[in-house]
Amino acid sequence: MLIAYLDEFGHVGPYVSPQHKKYNDHPVFGYAGFVLPASNARQMGASFKRAKTELFKTEIAASKNPHQWERKGSEYFTTGSITKRPEQVRVFKALLKTLYELDGQLFYYGDEKLRGTLKQTGVDSSEITQRAMRETVNRLCTHADKRSRDLLILTDSITDKTRQEVVAGMYAHIFNRSKRELGRPEMLRVVEAPLHIESKLNSGIQFADWICALTARLAYWQLVPDSDFTWASEKFSDTLRGHFTYESKIHRPSGRDINTSELLDEGAARYKPGTLGDIAKIPSGFYDALRQGGTGGSQVADP
């Protein structure tokens, strides 16, 4: 059996542009983490806990609940933290190498959101979450089927109301897609709808959170001109490249999809070859601005 440890990356709310007063968080929402044989999961968790304890010894010792202390990926992978604490780069790379030695791979799936407010796009956060989770499950099932393994998916806990909605939706999705007439036998690989676990209690989920944070920086760097996250590729591409599952992807409504290790390549977020945007060299962001009628704070990038 394979176990996939996942967390959310990006942001589930509307996105317009970095300059917008309210909707400026992240252009993508999705799930990322890692998948490995169940027989190696405890060893990976122990390696992560040992590395975390050594790296943040002072903070953990000072906490009220040291066994539940965690460093969130959003804090670990800030520009300042990565620049000032090179040991964090070293430790994370060492953890990735341990993962690979344990026959593990990295995974991500995200949807680039339509630029605009909820009123402009008509797509709410529930639909964004459900769509990303459905495709995440589909792709992980395909990965498991290729390896002739069953699959268990673990993900970070969310609010109870949202969890109930997501789990109910996933049970229905898995059941419907597993029907013989649809020809989707890979869906039989997943043994349950994704199970939600408190990250403070599980080292695997904490490691997935770190992977998510770096994935979020890479996706932002790809899709937002003049991003200051160039370090995400410069410092980590040598250790990440070639270790994403074949099914890893960021789906884009207008531009070319970003697949597997392309996430690390400068300029990967370009138009699909042969399309008008590619042939005419239309500036990034043009279609988003056009879709909004030139309103909402979206800026068309220079060519």
Side-chain angles (χ1 to χ4, degrees):
M1 179 182 288
L2 299 176
I3 299 182
Y5 293 87
L6 303 176
D7 202 351
E8 299 175 354
F9 78 92
H11 188 262
V12 75
Y15 177 80
V16 176
S17 76
Q19 296 78 29
H20 195 273
K21 292 182 179 179
K22 185 175 182 180
Y23 302 121
N24 57 13
D25 198 299
H26 202 289
V28 174
F29 176 78
Y31 294 89
F34 64 98
V35 55
L36 83 170
S39 56
N40 294 336
R42 291 180 65 179
Q43 188 175 343
M44 185 67 240
S47 295
F48 176 85
K49 185 174 182 179
R50 183 166 54 251
K52 181 188 72 172
T53 301
E54 292 175 357
L55 187 60
F56 298 107
K57 185 181 302 183
T58 302
E59 294 93 330
I60 293 173
S63 68
K64 294 182 179 180
N65 297 298
H67 296 294
Q68 296 184 16
W69 188 91
E70 60 180 315
R71 172 68 81 203
K72 288 295 186 181
S74 57
E75 299 173 293
Y76 194 99
F77 287 104
T78 65
T79 300
S81 182
I82 290 298
T83 302
K84 297 175 182 177
R85 299 194 64 176
E87 65 272 22
Q88 291 191 184
V89 176
R90 175 183 54 79
V91 167
F92 186 70
K93 286 186 172 185
L95 286 170
L96 290 176
K97 290 178 180 178
T98 299
L99 175 66
Y100 307 151
E101 290 168 359
L102 295 174
D103 197 24
Q105 288 182 270
L106 304 168
F107 171 83
Y108 68 88
Y109 177 80
D111 287 309
E112 182 185 10
K113 296 172 290 187
L114 292 173
R115 305 287 173 98
T117 65
L118 175 59
K119 183 177 180 180
Q120 290 170 326
T121 65
V123 183
D124 63 18
S125 60
S126 177
E127 183 177 347
I128 290 171
T129 301
Q130 292 276 0
R131 183 168 57 195
M133 179 56 83
R134 285 196 300 268
E135 193 60 24
T136 293
V137 171
N138 293 348
R139 288 171 176 275
L140 285 170
C141 284
T142 299
H143 174 73
D145 194 51
K146 287 179 179 178
R147 301 188 63 171
S148 300
R149 302 279 190 93
D150 288 337
L151 172 69
L152 183 65
I153 300 174
L154 306 180
T155 188
D156 193 11
S157 61
I158 49 181
T159 62
D160 193 55
K161 180 177 183 295
T162 303
R163 181 187 61 80
Q164 291 182 31
E165 292 175 354
V166 170
V167 171
M170 287 308 102
Y171 271 123
H173 172 70
I174 292 168
F175 175 78
N176 290 329
R177 197 172 169 87
S178 299
K179 291 179 179 178
R180 188 184 301 274
E181 59 268 24
L182 295 181
R184 295 290 184 179
E186 72 274 8
M187 300 304 294
L188 298 174
R189 291 293 180 182
V190 64
V191 300
E192 277 283 357
L195 303 178
H196 293 79
I197 298 178
E198 288 280 352
S199 61
K200 63 183 179 181
L201 302 175
N202 187 278
S203 294
I205 296 296
Q206 291 180 36
F207 187 32
D209 175 52
W210 287 13
I211 294 169
C212 274
L214 181 55
T215 303
R217 305 297 186 253
L218 287 164
Y220 192 92
W221 168 67
Q222 287 285 356
L223 298 172
V224 179
D226 302 320
S227 163
D228 65 352
F229 295 137
T230 53
W231 54 261
S233 177
E234 291 172 353
K235 291 185 179 293
F236 295 100
S237 65
D238 60 334
T239 312
L240 295 171
R241 190 175 300 279
H243 293 285
F244 296 102
T245 66
Y246 178 79
E247 296 76 20
S248 295
K249 172 180 185 172
I250 290 179
H251 172 259
R252 305 187 63 219
S254 299
R256 179 182 181 277
D257 290 345
I258 301 171
N259 296 285
T260 62
S261 293
E262 291 177 343
L263 187 64
L264 308 168
D265 298 334
E266 187 173 2
R270 57 189 182 276
Y271 291 101
K272 297 178 182 179
T275 62
L276 177 61
D278 178 54
I279 295 170
K281 307 301 180 187
I282 294 175
S284 172
F286 173 81
Y287 286 116
D288 291 318
L290 186 65
R291 217 179 265 118
Q292 297 170 48
T295 64
S298 180
Q299 301 293 319
V300 177
D302 293 331

